[in-house]
Amino acid sequence: MPLHSIRPLPGGAHLGLWHLTETPAALWPQLADSDAYRPLLPARADGPRQAQWLAGRVLVQRMLAAVAPATVPLLLQNDATGRPFLGEPDLGPAVSLSHSGEWAAALLAPAGAAVGVDVEVVRDKALRIARKFLTTDELAKVKLITSVQPDLTTELHSLLWSAKETLYKLAGRRGIIFRQNLLLDLPAAPTPPAAWPRAGELPARLELADRSSRHRICYFQPAVGYVLTYCYSFSSFT
């Protein structure tokens, strides 16, 4: 079943997962008010990307129907920075979306919350660009971990990339520099927690020009070969 799960989280937030098996032709009829969405479809959304885009929106509609059935259907749009919003910016439920490969994920939280979710296929891309998004300290700690557990190398880098993507969405600002503003407090010991990178929490910090804040990024594997991270805060960063 494509709707994999809707998971309640503390504070009234919900995490939804969609296992994508359908074509765009099969997804369009599942999207309520599809005519309103057709002009919003990205111009370069080919077959697979269009299916991912549609699955994310169908997922959000299913989640709203499940957790707030009395809510008037809300159109999911994107603001000038690309951040999704429901209804009117900052008035409807907070929402974050992500998709990769066969999975789409959505995080919903009460209005005014800052939210971020990211799902990634585990691959060596994050390893290749590690120096572009990890700090010197983070790189050193990753080197310690992978020196004793080399089999974690690709998964670990994919997890850390996903964590920073989630933190970036949580910040909701332009001009973010991953190596400067998005920081991960990795363990100093060479051996990570036993569950890493299967499931757990990763301490993180947002270091912005006007404020500094601490967060805990939750992560798990929705399926073999994937990693998912999410975080939400009831303080806005905009």
Side-chain angles (χ1 to χ4, degrees):
M1 183 177 180
L3 178 58
H4 180 271
S5 60
I6 299 175
R7 179 189 301 186
L9 303 171
H14 289 81
L15 176 68
L17 282 173
W18 187 278
H19 186 200
L20 181 58
T21 60
E22 309 95 330
T23 63
L27 285 165
W28 276 112
Q30 300 183 53
L31 187 63
D33 200 12
S34 60
D35 288 343
Y37 279 97
R38 291 187 185 277
L40 304 177
L41 179 69
R44 296 184 179 180
D46 56 13
R49 292 178 182 177
Q50 185 176 152
Q52 292 172 334
W53 187 87
L54 287 166
R57 280 141 188 84
V58 174
L59 173 60
V60 170
Q61 288 188 351
R62 296 283 184 88
M63 292 174 69
L64 286 173
V67 306
T71 302
V72 175
L74 299 171
L75 186 68
L76 180 62
Q77 303 178 72
N78 294 85
D79 65 16
T81 68
R83 184 173 58 174
F85 66 91
L86 284 160
E88 296 294 329
D90 302 320
L91 296 179
V95 59
S96 182
L97 284 172
S98 182
H99 51 70
S100 184
E102 297 180 349
W103 290 91
L107 182 62
L108 291 181
V115 292
V117 67
D118 184 72
V119 62
E120 297 284 342
V121 175
V122 173
R123 51 182 175 171
D124 63 1
K125 178 183 177 180
L127 175 60
R128 297 198 307 269
I129 64 171
R131 293 187 177 277
K132 294 183 178 181
F133 73 91
L134 294 177
T135 67
T136 301
D137 179 69
E138 290 165 351
L139 285 167
K141 289 177 178 177
V142 168
K143 186 175 181 180
L144 278 175
I145 295 167
T146 56
S147 67
V148 295
Q149 293 185 270
D151 57 313
L152 288 182
T153 299
T154 302
E155 285 185 314
L156 180 56
H157 282 82
S158 296
L159 169 62
L160 301 184
W161 169 256
S162 181
K164 291 210 172 186
E165 278 286 311
T166 282
L167 204 56
Y168 172 79
K169 294 178 181 180
L170 188 81
R173 293 186 179 186
R174 290 183 180 274
I176 292 288
I177 300 174
F178 278 41
R179 297 182 73 252
Q180 178 177 321
N181 305 116
L182 313 177
L183 306 178
L184 303 174
D185 295 324
L186 303 179
T191 303
W196 199 356
R198 293 187 294 278
E201 294 183 354
L202 183 62
R205 286 174 288 142
L206 268 176
E207 296 291 346
L208 305 176
D210 57 344
R211 66 186 297 181
S212 174
S213 56
R214 291 185 176 275
H215 306 275
R216 298 195 72 82
I217 298 176
C218 301
Y219 62 86
F220 65 94
Q221 293 177 308
V224 175
Y226 289 84
V227 64
L228 183 146
T229 60
Y230 67 91
C231 186
Y232 57 99
S233 170
F234 293 103
S235 297
S236 175
F237 299 94
T238 55

